[in-house]
Amino acid sequence: MKIASIVAATGLTTALALTGLSLADDDDHDRQRYKRPKRLVAPSDAPLVWKEECAACHMLYVPGLLPAEAWRQQMQTLDEHYGSNATLDPEQEREILDFLLRASSVNRLPVEPSPTAGEPPRISQTRWFEHKHDEVSEAKFARESVGGRANCVACHRDAERGDFDDDRVRIPR
């Protein structure tokens, strides 16, 4: 009887452990590939100039969404930043670039160039973005309430804090 109890307890413990692992799976079965964490928190020491200047035109993209070299390309093309002139004074540019390079070091993925010549990489055109949004139709992205692929905060309320957890996605109508 003692052996049967031990075997049953061991089996139950193993089953619970495997259940917990499967719940944390996140649909990425290629374990060799780097996967972004669900929370990409911007460091608490993020410079005010980054918050003010970047958020003046769009949401604050968490630096870990792109690798460091992609942010370097972003900062080198501020004079033609997706159709806008976003140039800053050299001291502000240096402070923002230093922060972006440091804060994006968690992203070890290769830079994925934009299909548009001369344009820096776009988060919304990365393989990771495409994979994570493969069930979202173009019609949903085109909704006025969503505002396009680059407006993460429309569906991910805590995107600016780095929270892109699938379980908290709410696509507006």
Side-chain angles (χ1 to χ4, degrees), residues 102-113:
R102 178 175 42 83
S104 65
S105 64
V106 298
N107 185 329
R108 299 181 312 273
L109 293 173
V111 174
E112 295 180 53

Side-chain angles (χ1 to χ4, degrees), residues 93-170:
E93 283 188 24
R94 169 73 17 227
E95 186 176 0
I96 292 172
L97 177 60
D98 288 347
F99 163 71
L100 291 171
L101 295 178
R102 178 175 42 83
S104 65
S105 64
V106 298
N107 185 329
R108 299 181 312 273
L109 293 173
V111 174
E112 295 180 53
S114 172
T116 305
E119 182 179 87
R122 288 180 183 261
I123 295 164
S124 61
Q125 292 176 336
T126 62
R127 287 186 306 256
W128 169 80
F129 184 96
E130 293 294 335
H131 169 73
K132 294 305 283 184
H133 297 85
D134 63 348
E135 295 176 12
V136 181
S137 69
E138 287 305 317
K140 287 180 182 171
F141 279 122
R143 289 178 184 166
E144 189 175 329
S145 59
V146 173
R149 295 171 153 261
N151 190 25
C152 306
V153 294
C155 304
H156 303 274
R157 285 177 283 149
D158 295 324
E160 287 184 326
R161 290 198 302 260
D163 187 348
F164 295 93
D165 191 319
D166 296 346
D167 297 333
R168 289 189 279 284
V169 171
R170 299 290 176 261

Side-chain angles (χ1 to χ4, degrees), residues 1-169:
M1 188 66 174
K2 250 185 175 178
I3 293 176
S5 296
I6 292 171
V7 170
T10 303
L12 180 60
T13 302
T14 302
L16 289 173
L18 291 174
T19 300
L21 290 174
S22 69
L23 291 174
D25 189 9
D26 195 26
D27 296 335
D28 191 352
H29 301 284
D30 184 359
R31 298 293 179 215
Q32 303 293 57
R33 217 173 65 207
Y34 170 72
K35 179 173 83 168
R36 287 185 181 89
K38 286 186 178 186
R39 288 193 56 80
L40 296 164
V41 179
S44 59
D45 65 343
L48 186 59
V49 66
W50 171 70
K51 294 175 184 177
E52 290 177 346
E53 293 297 332
C54 298
C57 298
H58 54 72
M59 68 165 271
L60 283 173
Y61 294 105
V62 181
L65 288 172
L66 288 174
E69 184 54 34
W71 287 116
R72 186 182 314 281
Q73 291 175 27
Q74 294 285 341
M75 295 301 292
Q76 290 172 343
T77 57
L78 289 178
D79 61 329
E80 188 56 40
H81 189 66
Y82 306 108
S84 297
N85 184 343
T87 55
L88 304 166
D89 72 56
E91 186 178 315
Q92 290 176 315
E93 283 188 24
R94 169 73 17 227
E95 186 176 0
I96 292 172
L97 177 60
D98 288 347
F99 163 71
L100 291 171
L101 295 178
R102 178 175 42 83
S104 65
S105 64
V106 298
N107 185 329
R108 299 181 312 273
L109 293 173
V111 174
E112 295 180 53
S114 172
T116 305
E119 182 179 87
R122 288 180 183 261
I123 295 164
S124 61
Q125 292 176 336
T126 62
R127 287 186 306 256
W128 169 80
F129 184 96
E130 293 294 335
H131 169 73
K132 294 305 283 184
H133 297 85
D134 63 348
E135 295 176 12
V136 181
S137 69
E138 287 305 317
K140 287 180 182 171
F141 279 122
R143 289 178 184 166
E144 189 175 329
S145 59
V146 173
R149 295 171 153 261
N151 190 25
C152 306
V153 294
C155 304
H156 303 274
R157 285 177 283 149
D158 295 324
E160 287 184 326
R161 290 198 302 260
D163 187 348
F164 295 93
D165 191 319
D166 296 346
D167 297 333
R168 289 189 279 284
V169 171

